[in-house]
Amino acid sequence: MSTTTSTRTSTSALSAARTTATATRVLRQLRHDPRTIAMMILIPCVMLVLLRYVFDGSPRTFDGTGASLLGIFPLITMFLVTSIATLRERTSGTLERLLAMPLGKGDLIAGYALAFGAVAIVQSVLATGLAVWFLGLDVTGSPWLLLLVALLDALLGTALGLFVSAFAASEFQAVQFMPAVIFPQLLLCGLFTPRSNMHPVLEAISDVLPMSYAVDGMNEVLKHTDMTATFVRDTLIVAGCALLVLGLGAATLRRRTE
């Protein structure tokens, strides 16, 4: 009885060694999946290039929407890849075998977040560099602040993907969560019209959606030379939402799909 209790106690707390081992395993698997790597790293860049030349005759329009989409594209791609990859681990039985070892759910979720977060850094650096230095995205503030928001958005997409994977029974169902989780945020985040112009009910809903603050943070960099208090608030909210969703993901993680 005491052995069981001590084992539960040891696995309930986060362990840097177990988390790092999990992240290393996930990255090793990703290395052998070039299509997934291409989707995570290249698709946001390709979308930004397409957007730039869609507005080829109106560069100012690209400046107005490119910064926002610089954060939205990584969020969407990381959501899709993470939800499908985690579900694949569960349906294949890998997750059940891992959780039978001295490995807590928190270690597993943190390991996944660390691995996909490393990919998100590469993705965000490439997308931001491409938009600012090659596609001519004109921002008033520092490109490094754009990179920060893009990275936080990618981590938020990772957290959301880990969370919804617990409620999907197949990869098809994981993709089906995108209209429910991502599309409402996309419509209400202020990308298409200022949130203050929306119906009061929709504006109130948008106030609790993390993507709204991601877009607001990008717009702050677009308009102001220095880091503003609003920018700090927006980035803290996005980061806090990512941490909250990761915690929920650890709480709802299941060993297998019934």
Side-chain angles (χ1 to χ4, degrees):
M1 183 70 175
S2 60
T3 303
T4 303
T5 303
S6 62
T7 302
R8 288 178 179 175
T9 303
S10 65
T11 58
S12 61
L14 280 175
S15 164
R18 293 193 296 263
T19 297
T20 303
T22 301
T24 302
R25 181 185 64 81
V26 174
L27 288 174
R28 191 179 299 119
Q29 289 179 332
L30 286 176
R31 186 182 61 184
H32 299 292
D33 191 353
R35 288 177 296 182
T36 299
I37 294 176
M39 180 177 179
M40 287 190 292
I41 293 179
L42 297 181
I43 284 184
C45 295
V46 172
M47 293 296 101
L48 285 170
V49 171
L50 288 176
L51 183 69
R52 167 64 182 84
Y53 290 105
V54 164
F55 296 117
D56 191 40
S58 180
R60 296 294 297 273
T61 304
F62 176 70
D63 292 338
T65 60
S68 298
L69 291 174
L70 184 59
I72 292 174
F73 286 153
L75 190 155
I76 294 175
T77 55
M78 294 305 292
F79 172 83
L80 283 173
V81 171
T82 306
S83 59
I84 292 173
T86 309
L87 180 66
R88 190 178 297 167
E89 293 261 275
R90 198 170 72 241
T91 55
S92 66
T94 302
L95 195 59
E96 185 174 13
R97 291 193 295 272
L98 289 172
L99 290 177
M101 301 167 61
L103 181 71
K105 292 183 178 181
D107 297 315
L108 193 67
I109 290 293
Y112 271 91
L114 184 62
F116 285 109
V119 178
I121 291 174
V122 178
Q123 179 195 72
S124 301
V125 168
L126 288 176
T128 303
L130 175 69
V132 174
W133 287 293
F134 290 94
L135 299 180
L137 180 66
D138 187 16
V139 294
T140 302
S142 170
W144 294 106
L145 296 181
L146 279 184
L147 174 61
L148 174 62
V149 182
L151 176 59
L152 289 175
D153 289 345
L155 293 176
L156 176 61
T158 299
L160 290 170
L162 289 170
F163 176 62
V164 303
S165 67
F167 303 97
S170 66
E171 293 182 15
F172 179 68
Q173 285 188 7
V175 174
Q176 286 180 313
F177 273 105
M178 186 172 174
V181 176
I182 300 297
F183 286 179
Q185 296 193 68
L186 188 62
L187 292 174
L188 299 177
C189 68
L191 176 64
F192 302 105
T193 185
R195 292 193 289 129
S196 58
N197 293 344
M198 297 178 185
H199 187 281
V201 173
L202 295 181
E203 183 181 2
I205 295 174
S206 73
D207 286 341
V208 298
L209 298 177
M211 192 184 290
S212 301
Y213 297 95
V215 171
D216 287 350
M218 288 293 191
N219 288 334
E220 286 293 304
V221 181
L222 198 64
K223 298 174 183 177
H224 301 280
T225 56
D226 299 321
M227 184 186 300
T228 64
T230 302
F231 174 84
V232 174
R233 181 206 65 184
D234 293 337
T235 53
L236 288 176
I237 289 175
V238 174
C241 288
L243 291 175
L244 174 62
V245 175
L246 281 176
L248 292 174
T252 56
L253 186 66
R254 293 182 292 159
R255 292 174 178 264
R256 68 168 76 185
T257 299
E258 300 296 338

